[in-house]
Amino acid sequence: ARTARQGASAYLKIADGCNAPCAFCAIPLIKGPAASRPVEEIVEDAAGLVLDGAKEIILIAQDTTAYGRDRGERDALPDLFQAMLSRIDSVAPDLAAEGLPWLRLMYAYPGHVSARLIDAMASDRRICAYLDLPLQHAHPDVLRRMKRPAKIKRTRRLIADLRQAMPDIALRTSFILGYPGETEGEFETLLDFMSRMRFDRVGGFLYSPEEGTPAAALPGAVPEEVKEDRLERLMALQQRISLDLNQNQVGRTLDVLVEGQGDDLSVGRSYRDAPEIDGLVLIPGGVPLGEIVPVRITGAMEYDLVGEVIEKN
């Protein structure tokens, strides 16, 4: 399906397949090479979703930042943003609301995030200051075995550039634990990288071989109990970082998209959280579903925030 609705949010696929050479991944074998959808199709899908009441559109692909590369366009995502938002502006007079409050980008390949893309994200308030940047590891040797970008200095610079352009950006990443040959020292390098980078959101995954991939033939299998121990240590570190970063939100006012209710409690998300994978904002009382409301943050937990609606004058 090209689109999928989930309450007031909608997923919009911009491409399928993948050209990345990651040694652990079977997606290119299953889905084939990357194929970007035509701009016109995506733009019309986006306009239709907004007319249908979507408050958030989430752009997805195996690698969203590779959009257009299969057609010889090296940096097509900023142009796609502009075309989508211009078309949404043109249908906005038909809407009671302002058009599209949130446009979110998922699954960005670190080597494909351009300065122009960063500028496009920073220059339009509708594009969420949020980026999912799956890095998979932080030790150059492990990354080379994974056939992933292994220049960690370049990754650090990218993160610094994103934060300089968008000081409030929420960065999500994911790491694979127990990749073949991963030593304790390589894992500790990953923990040190996490401590320094302080990502807002981190997902940890235990490596498991996928048939037909180069990684499945690598020597140096890591025992399951070692993988699980490393995952526990990684997530314990991330919980401390996440709690600290969430506590920094206390006192701020965030716009929250309300998605659930029950027991005199409303539940939603701010721009800092993608659906189903990130945290929530808990709001005492009943707030209409599908509305975006200003919420003053009053409390913080490891993954979730608590707040109260600010009544509009």
Side-chain angles (χ1 to χ4, degrees), residues 12 39-51 57 79-95 98-100 124 126:
L12 175 51
V39 172
E40 299 76 16
E41 271 187 20
I42 297 169
V43 165
E44 288 312 306
D45 282 347
L49 290 166
V50 171
L51 286 169
I57 291 179
D79 299 323
L80 179 64
F81 286 162
Q82 186 174 8
M84 287 176 61
L85 293 169
S86 295
R87 179 74 178 100
I88 288 165
D89 285 342
S90 76
V91 302
D94 301 328
L95 302 169
E98 59 172 319
L100 178 70
D124 195 306
R126 293 171 291 183

Side-chain angles (χ1 to χ4, degrees), residues 252-269:
R252 292 189 63 193
T253 297
L254 298 175
D255 286 342
V256 173
L257 174 59
V258 180
E259 297 181 307
Q261 293 172 332
D263 297 329
D264 201 34
L265 186 73
S266 298
V267 177
R269 291 180 292 110

Side-chain angles (χ1 to χ4, degrees), residues 16 20 24 27-29 36 43 56 89 98-99 108 121 182 187-188 198 212 214 274 277 280 293 299 303 306 309-310:
D16 213 351
F24 51 82
I27 285 174
L29 299 173
S36 301
V43 165
E56 174 184 35
D89 285 342
E98 59 172 319
M121 292 179 66
E182 184 190 50
F187 172 67
E188 287 176 0
R198 291 170 59 81
I277 57 170
L280 300 168
V293 295
Y303 299 117
V306 179
V309 176
I310 298 173

Side-chain angles (χ1 to χ4, degrees), residues 15-271:
D16 213 351
C18 189
N19 292 337
C22 308
F24 51 82
C25 183
I27 285 174
L29 299 173
I30 297 165
K31 289 184 170 279
S36 301
R37 294 183 56 212
V39 172
E40 299 76 16
E41 271 187 20
I42 297 169
V43 165
E44 288 312 306
D45 282 347
L49 290 166
V50 171
L51 286 169
D52 195 41
K55 299 283 181 72
E56 174 184 35
I57 291 179
I58 304 158
L59 300 184
I60 57 170
Q62 270 72 44
D63 171 11
T64 50
T65 42
Y67 179 75
R69 283 175 171 247
D70 54 300
R71 299 192 294 249
E73 303 164 28
R74 289 189 62 78
D75 200 10
L77 208 47
D79 299 323
L80 179 64
F81 286 162
Q82 186 174 8
M84 287 176 61
L85 293 169
S86 295
R87 179 74 178 100
I88 288 165
D89 285 342
S90 76
V91 302
D94 301 328
L95 302 169
E98 59 172 319
L100 178 70
W102 290 354
L103 177 63
R104 186 182 301 275
L105 184 65
M106 299 294 288
Y107 317 130
Y109 192 79
H112 294 163
V113 179
S114 67
R116 190 162 160 260
L117 175 58
I118 295 172
D119 183 60
M121 292 179 66
S123 61
D124 195 306
R125 62 182 175 79
R126 293 171 291 183
I127 303 172
C128 293
Y130 173 103
L131 196 62
D132 177 24
L133 198 67
L135 297 176
Q136 313 304 3
H137 212 278
H139 193 288
D141 291 345
V142 179
L143 289 165
R144 277 190 280 270
R145 295 199 297 273
M146 289 180 166
K147 295 187 167 30
R148 294 280 298 179
K151 294 181 178 174
I152 294 299
K153 280 188 180 177
R154 184 176 291 176
T155 302
R156 290 178 190 266
R157 190 163 61 242
L158 169 60
I159 291 166
D161 290 346
L162 284 162
R163 287 175 168 158
Q164 183 174 0
M166 293 169 278
D168 289 333
I169 193 169
L171 291 176
R172 155 170 277 282
T173 192
S174 53
F175 297 115
I176 295 173
L177 289 308
Y179 192 74
E182 184 190 50
T183 64
E184 177 63 20
E186 289 169 342
F187 172 67
E188 287 176 0
T189 295
L190 170 56
L191 294 182
D192 179 66
F193 177 77
M194 281 177 57
S195 297
R196 292 168 184 268
M197 295 297 102
R198 291 170 59 81
F199 294 99
D200 299 86
R201 315 279 181 251
V202 171
F205 301 93
L206 300 184
Y207 171 76
S208 61
E210 294 196 9
E211 190 178 346
T213 61
L218 286 176
V222 177
E224 287 302 313
E225 61 270 22
V226 174
K227 291 183 194 175
E228 288 166 9
D229 174 68
R230 288 177 183 172
L231 178 61
E232 276 185 30
R233 289 158 62 193
L234 179 134
M235 294 314 297
L237 170 60
Q238 181 56 28
Q239 281 185 349
R240 294 194 294 272
I241 294 169
S242 180
L243 177 60
D244 189 36
L245 294 176
N246 274 354
Q247 287 171 336
N248 292 342
Q249 300 297 317
V250 174
R252 292 189 63 193
T253 297
L254 298 175
D255 286 342
V256 173
L257 174 59
V258 180
E259 297 181 307
Q261 293 172 332
D263 297 329
D264 201 34
L265 186 73
S266 298
V267 177
R269 291 180 292 110
S270 76
Y271 79 92

